[in-house]
Amino acid sequence: NADFPVHVEIEGSPLFGDVNGDGVEDAVVLLYTQAAASGQFHDLVFVLNRNGEPKVFKSIFLGDDVTVESIMISPEGWVKALR
């Protein structure tokens, strides 16, 4: 809608690691959305590697106007976002 523009981008660089335990490297990205009418939002998006093709698996809403200091993927596949 031209009256309510929305800007979406990947913030920072993707992180890579096996997040689903299948032995294949996946990705986690921090998605930044700015909506003119409602604010700034961050989501943590899990992108699985399915036979070499990226597939969005899950998205977790982190909040409105949050600052994410760092994101880590442990060797066990745990993902931690520090605010």
Side-chain angles (χ1 to χ4, degrees), residues 21-70:
D22 65 355
V24 179
E25 192 170 70
D26 305 301
V28 177
V29 296
L30 183 62
L31 195 66
Y32 168 77
T33 304
Q34 182 176 15
S38 59
Q40 303 171 11
F41 309 98
H42 282 95
D43 293 271
L44 198 57
V45 181
F46 296 78
V47 183
L48 300 182
N49 180 341
R50 294 288 190 199
N51 299 316
E53 295 293 322
K55 301 290 181 190
V56 173
F57 170 66
K58 183 185 292 192
S59 175
I60 299 173
F61 178 68
L62 299 179
D64 184 11
D65 293 321
V66 299
T67 300
V68 177
E69 298 294 329
S70 67

